[in-house]
Amino acid sequence: MQKDFKIERLNNQFCESVIGLILPIQQIEFNVDIDLAAQPDLLDIEKHYDGSGGAFWGAKLNGELIGTIALIAQPGHHAGAIRKMFVKKEFRGKELGVAQALLKTLLAYCEDNKLNGVYLGTKDILEAACRFYERNGFKQVAMENLPVYFPRMAVDNVFYSLDLKSV
């Protein structure tokens, strides 16, 4: 399998491609009860991500979007929330390293922008994702211990944090 994917920042011109990647993974592959109406950020990437001081990245292979990751920055708290980390099934795993490269890109951005920590929410049925975050130093956090500024998704039931000062 070809390994020369590229990671680039995405803007609103990629909304349709992002939706085309994310919704089938959520709804069909993992049967998560969420639709586009519950995710207005996918219709205006620039407002929800760039507008916060964060960003939205995509991994592309031969022009095809194969993975995404995004950051909602909370600069007043020197923190951020990781969102929309998805990789197409056929491009997952350590062999290609798409998810690892996406996370590395986001964490470098956090360092460059002096963010001290990141949080994320996911679902317990996404066991491989949970293992991935744990392998990368994320610690599970009880929902009641999340910071008040963390933008929670209703479908999430497992939460993680990463202290970037100790990485």
Side-chain angles (χ1 to χ4, degrees), residues 3 91-98 100 135:
K3 294 185 180 186
F91 299 102
R92 291 182 196 147
K94 291 180 184 176
E95 182 184 321
L96 273 180
V98 175
Q100 197 65 54
R135 271 196 319 273

Side-chain angles (χ1 to χ4, degrees), residues 70-158:
L71 176 75
I72 296 174
Q74 302 284 347
H77 299 281
H78 302 285
I82 296 176
R83 285 287 186 74
K84 307 305 177 193
M85 177 125 185
F86 292 96
V87 176
K88 274 190 170 180
K89 189 175 192 171
E90 59 269 31
F91 299 102
R92 291 182 196 147
K94 291 180 184 176
E95 182 184 321
L96 273 180
V98 175
Q100 197 65 54
L102 286 163
L103 181 61
K104 181 179 177 183
T105 299
L106 181 142
L107 294 177
Y109 182 88
C110 289
E111 184 178 331
D112 291 347
N113 287 276
K114 300 186 179 12
L115 300 182
N116 296 326
V118 288
Y119 294 85
L120 66 92
T122 189
K123 290 193 62 62
D124 56 2
I125 62 167
L126 304 176
E127 294 172 3
C130 292
R131 286 192 306 272
F132 171 80
Y133 294 124
E134 289 166 6
R135 271 196 319 273
N136 279 282
F138 285 78
K139 304 291 182 215
Q140 199 164 338
V141 177
M143 186 174 64
E144 58 272 10
N145 294 333
L146 288 168
V148 294
Y149 57 81
F150 177 73
R152 237 186 102 229
M153 295 284 297
V155 295
D156 291 340
N157 62 4
V158 179

